[in-house]
Amino acid sequence: IQEDHKLSASELEEKYGTSTNKGLSSARAAEILARDGPNSLTPPKATPEIVKFLKQMVGGFSILLWIGAAFSWISFGIQFAQGAESPFDNLYLGVVLALVVILTGIFAYYQEAKSTNIMASFSKMIPQQALVIRDAEKKELPAEELVVGDIVEIKGGDRIPADIRLIFTQGCKVDNSSLTGESEPQSRSCDFTHENPLETKNIAFYSTTCVEGTATGIVINTGDRTVIGRIASLASGVGNEKTPIAIEIEHFVYLVAGVAISIGVLFFIISVSMRYKILDSIIFLIGIIVANVPEGLLATVTVSLSLTAKRMAKKNCLVKNLEAVETLGSTSVICSDKTGTLTQNRMTVAHLWFDNQIYSADTSEDQTTQPFDQTSSTWTALSKIVTLCNRAEFRPGQENLPIMKRIVVGDASETALLKFTEVILGDVMSIRARNKKVAEIPFNSTNKFQLSIHETDDPNDKRFLLVMKGAPERILERCSTIMINGKEEPLDSEKAEAFQTAYMELGGMGERVLGFCHLYLPENEFPDTYPFDTDSMNFPTSNLCFVGLLSMIDPPRSTVPDAVSKCRSAGIKVIMVTGDHPITAKAIAKSVGIISATSETVEDIAKRLNIPVEQVNRREATAAVVNGMELKDMSLQQLDEILCNHSEIVFARTSPQQKLIIVEGCQRQGAVVAVTGDGVNDSPALKKADIGIAMGIAGSDAAKNAADMVLLDDNFASIVTGVEEGRLIFDNLKKTIAYTLTKNIAELCPFLIYIIASIPLPIGTITILFIDLGTDIIPSVALAYEKAESDIMNRRPRNKRRDRLVNEQLAVYSYLQIGIMQSVGAFVTYFTVYAEQGFLPSTLLGVRVNWESNAINDFEDSYGQEWTKYQRMYLQWTGYTAFFVSITIQQVADLIIRKTRRNSIFQQGLFRNKVIWVGIFSQIAIASILTYGLGHVTALNFTPLRFQYWFVAVPFAILIWVYDEVRKLLIRRYPGSWWDKNMYY
Amino acid sequence: MATLNEKKTCSERMENFRRFVWNPETRLFMGRTLINWVWISLYYLAFYVVMSGLFALSIYCLMQTVNPYEPDCVTLRPDVYGDRGLRIYYNASDNKTWEGLVTTLRTFLTAYTPAAQHLNINCTSDTYFIQDTFDGPNKTKLSCKFTSDMLQNCSGITDPTFGFPEGKPCFIIKMNRIIKFLPGNGTAPRVDCTYVGDESRPLEVDYYPVNGTFNLHYFPYYGKKAQPSYSNPLVAVKFLNLTRNVEFKIVCKIIAAGITFDNVHDPYEGKVEFKLKIED
């Protein structure tokens, strides 16, 4: 690299064996590629996998479980040293706890690895492309395949694909900020300006971006040999700061851990003061911790989030960061681009004016016919002009594509006209062939018209036809007649007036208007051998016949108005930020509903009341169209005022820097801001936004890198889908957590009552783990598939400071109401089992010490029968199994009630979410397998339970359902009441 | 993505917490007004009263459905087992080492004195004592007498030290009570003591009553309510000729149809195993 900037283009050609016109041959390129390797940086050494893995082992609830495991081992050690009877129970428990932590750790690690893979596949999905000249042809190649000596072309918005020595530039500027930190774009030229390769202007560096202009250059370094590769300090991106959902999860973990530790310590103290042995108290403590920690929940949350991410990807929202899924749901302001996002990003003929009448054309995405009246012969004349006076052409070989999808060579308005006529008339190219062009003056900014002269396709008509299109006022100047219903009529002032009205009306709709006129040249003056000369213009260009107007606009996507109104009802403010003209911006804003039909801007009010703009009360105007020029002179307070006072805002003629200012302004109002962008210059705004959304088709790489989400179809409506999904997942996570927390009480109460009332232990620690990590897992994931309750897009976005994922109501309702009901149900089952086996409830109180004594082998039950230790243990395991089964049965009811938070289950539909039923069946199947299949494996403490005991808790399950239905009914009946405030979570 | 940064200092957190406990501006105590606390407490009080009521009702219903005489459904059969003891080491010449054991036996046998057994009838038949009706007083069933003198040399009457100082100790084997359990299929269950792992080696023992059988008229048991004065039949085992200062592993099994002694998990089902060592 040291010398390359000093060499001339021809010396470089020689050095790299290439040619600026033809580029390398494919074979040669393949050779070099094999020699040098792909043009990509060796990824920086990431955090060692083992460190990542270990991090998963200590995060979240893992610490609590490790403590539990450690306590188990300690008590094992003590018991073993004392030579107690069955010390190995505690050893096993410790091993199981450790296994649980390790397994959930492995799962979390795997999930993370998978999402990293998603990121990797994401970057593959939108690979950087480079325009390369090879084998004398321009080719789009993945940037990875570039080799030294390739000739590449760069244009504004591209990332420089390798270190490049420039050999041709046109207004080229690059943003070297990632390399040098200079934030100002640097201009580039072909000249050697500095000894230092880093300073000279004729080298563009890998990974920097071209901001504007175009350039061509020779690749001089690739991959790790590029300057940035050698410095190897690729800004690895912003550190992983916490997203809203991460904060919520952390809050939840703290809450549950707090509850677990305080109850654990409290009962440790109680049991010590009740003269339990310290060792026993420690074992109780382990049980309490295990009962309190929802072991499977964090894994469930990850799975739910990634399910949503997948669902969103199907709907064209590619989420780069799992947690961004939820951030989108809390969005309260969307700052949207106009072009391409709200609109189709292609000029389309929207209106026509001929025969003194305005006709509307179909502007939808998939038009195949045009509905307006085409019988008038004026239209025939107009269509001929539109067809002939047009230089745009379809690329060959696209005959099978729908017309709207074909690629056209030509500028935007000519493309629009070409497609328009192709739709109506069919094969335009053959029409043009039949009307051979004999002369042409292309459009230029001084003439403001385009003209061509054709032979006609009528073999009897030897006249030439002169057709012209251009700025309407210029065209009208050149006309003396106007065609009405196929007849030429003199252009009097009345007709000119009608033209003006139509022109103003179309222009006022923000549309680009073109005028069309023609003239049949008299055959005697212009015989078919007449030498037309476009320089001297030896043909008439005035006194033509005016035929009509066509107006074009980049029309809104058909899905956008609906999406905007959805946003509106969802309490999301949609702000349009565009570089376009205010009139066009306003017209599009009105047609998509960003400015609603009834609302007025200050200017509208002034016009209606016929008073100067200054006298209008600004508060009356709900809408505002702010020009970039005005914005430049505004103070922050003024901007805040606008953002505050107007609900419908359009920013027009804004620069990318101003976009950033607008985003910051919205964030000052406490909004969660989503920003869409496609250009390189949008990346600061995308980064600044709470969620940056890049366009997948039109977006530049820089924008995609800065964004959190990529819209694969560039469609605004997809954002709204994303918002809906984000809100849904927030609600569903609430439901999942509520579902999971409930049974913790039913798992905890046995320990507390065991300690206080000294009954035989109702449920074992291992059995609890089988609930948390067995029966409950699939149902809690199933809640992620729950459909939205009807109001999801009709409520305000969540306030990230007030509306927590796990709020007081959720915890209290789950723990202290439903959880208690479950415990009662489970205890009734427990007492039933013991009573029917011979131990009536009264005999169970206070028996713990004798019950657990190994020396007592003639323990007498209520009927006088005597039980050995093992027989008692077996009965105790039967009790565990019964308790487990009744929790499972009641969790089915819990799962059903958690489907909704406000609506009745019957409104929501019991069977709409099929996955819930998969969950219910899995729950029952797992429980059956554990009791009947593994009932003979002693270590698991399950026994084959009598079939009847499955039904003891059913009345309580029904009670839970009924109680929750009553709760929801009262919430719906009395919104805002004491009940609503305390019972709605 | 810009993110929330809620870094708070410790003092701020404390301040927030104090504000949470008592907010003087809004007069909120722990996030609620006092009257609100009263309401919520009342609600929970009512809720828990109702839940306790439901629980009590369920238990009441349960108690109504259970049969007072025998358990409704026994999926588990509590089974037979021998007397207590895992390792019995004592020194024949040092009465402190065996006095505890003797006292235990004596206390155990107080339930078998004629006075304690006076409610029970004398049974002579050698068949099951099936009672389909309540023949006893207060809707009870009759129980057969088992008095300690049936244990003869091990009754503690003739030898209050149960042979411990002589090195010929008595052990008492008891069968656990099981309702309506008919052991032996018509033949009386019998106690058989052997060395562990070496059944063929003869062990010199005397069984009382003769042959070490549990007479069939003690079966079946009808439960505490039907037979309030029932006492388990016993078999005493007197070891006659044990070498001193050697540890013996002895197992006493109950031989009867319907009683197993090979449950790997339960060392006390149908048998008792213990180690015995008599020192000088």
Side-chain angles (χ1 to χ4, degrees), chain A residues 187-433:
Chain A
S187 70
R188 293 283 107 163
S189 67
C190 312
D191 310 320
F192 161 55
T193 54
H194 203 281
E195 282 287 326
N196 184 342
L198 280 175
E199 299 285 332
T200 183
K201 286 201 168 186
N202 57 4
I203 291 181
F205 298 101
Y206 179 45
S207 91
T208 61
T209 41
C210 174
V211 183
E212 55 181 73
T214 55
T216 308
I218 301 175
V219 174
I220 50 174
N221 280 304
T222 58
D224 288 334
R225 288 166 303 280
T226 57
V227 169
I228 208 146
R230 268 184 283 173
I231 298 170
S233 64
L234 247 181
S236 53
V238 203
N240 284 336
E241 284 185 77
K242 287 172 197 157
T243 55
I245 193 73
I247 291 172
E248 292 302 323
I249 300 278
E250 195 171 81
H251 171 245
F252 160 71
V253 169
Y254 283 152
L255 194 124
V256 170
V259 169
I261 291 173
S262 36
I263 293 184
V265 169
L266 181 70
F267 274 84
F268 183 77
I269 294 169
I270 287 178
S271 51
V272 168
S273 52
M274 281 176 73
R275 316 234 168 132
Y276 281 97
K277 282 185 272 174
I278 296 285
L279 198 64
D280 287 341
S281 308
I282 289 178
I283 294 171
F284 302 156
L285 183 62
I286 301 166
I288 289 172
I289 290 175
V290 171
N292 256 310
V293 172
E295 284 85 3
L297 190 61
L298 294 186
T300 314
V301 169
T302 322
V303 171
S304 303
L305 281 176
S306 56
L307 282 176
T308 306
K310 262 188 204 153
R311 203 154 52 200
M312 284 168 79
K314 255 188 221 154
K315 293 178 180 168
N316 291 321
C317 289
L318 195 63
V319 182
K320 282 165 69 182
N321 174 348
L322 267 195
E323 286 157 353
V325 171
E326 195 281 319
T327 316
L328 194 58
S330 41
T331 300
S332 54
V333 172
I334 300 174
C335 290
S336 176
D337 258 357
K338 179 180 82 71
T339 311
T341 316
L342 297 171
T343 66
Q344 301 171 16
N345 195 18
R346 76 168 163 234
M347 277 299 191
T348 306
V349 174
H351 291 98
L352 304 91
W353 180 80
F354 56 85
D355 293 347
N356 265 332
Q357 199 179 338
I358 292 179
Y359 298 88
S360 301
D362 178 12
T363 55
S364 65
E365 282 93 333
D366 49 357
Q367 43 184 287
T368 47
T369 53
Q370 287 291 352
F372 64 91
D373 179 26
Q374 294 159 10
T375 52
S376 164
S377 50
T378 317
W379 162 246
T380 319
L382 180 59
S383 64
K384 194 157 223 171
I385 308 170
V386 174
T387 313
L388 298 179
C389 188
N390 190 339
R391 289 155 53 89
E393 287 177 14
F394 287 113
R395 282 241 185 104
Q398 307 184 79
E399 286 73 19
N400 298 327
L401 287 177
I403 295 165
M404 285 300 139
K405 296 231 164 73
R406 292 187 202 164
I407 298 167
V408 174
V409 185
D411 73 21
S413 27
E414 295 218 307
T415 305
L417 294 174
L418 174 62
K419 287 187 174 171
F420 180 68
T421 46
E422 180 87 9
V423 166
I424 297 174
L425 304 175
D427 199 353
V428 168
M429 302 314 268
S430 71
I431 298 177
R432 285 197 204 158

Side-chain angles (χ1 to χ4, degrees), chain A residues 58-77:
Chain A
V58 293
F61 294 118
S62 306
I63 288 283
L64 275 182
L65 294 179
W66 279 123
I67 292 173
F71 278 148
S72 307
W73 285 324
I74 290 171
S75 50
F76 161 71

Side-chain angles (χ1 to χ4, degrees), chain A residues 690 858 863-864 871 874 963, chain B residues 1 43 67 76 79 174 177:
Chain A
D690 295 284
D858 56 349
Y863 293 93
Q871 288 162 347
Y874 192 79
Y963 180 74
Chain B
M1 170 154 45
Y43 181 79
N67 184 329
L76 306 162
D79 222 327
K174 179 180 102 179
R177 292 191 290 264

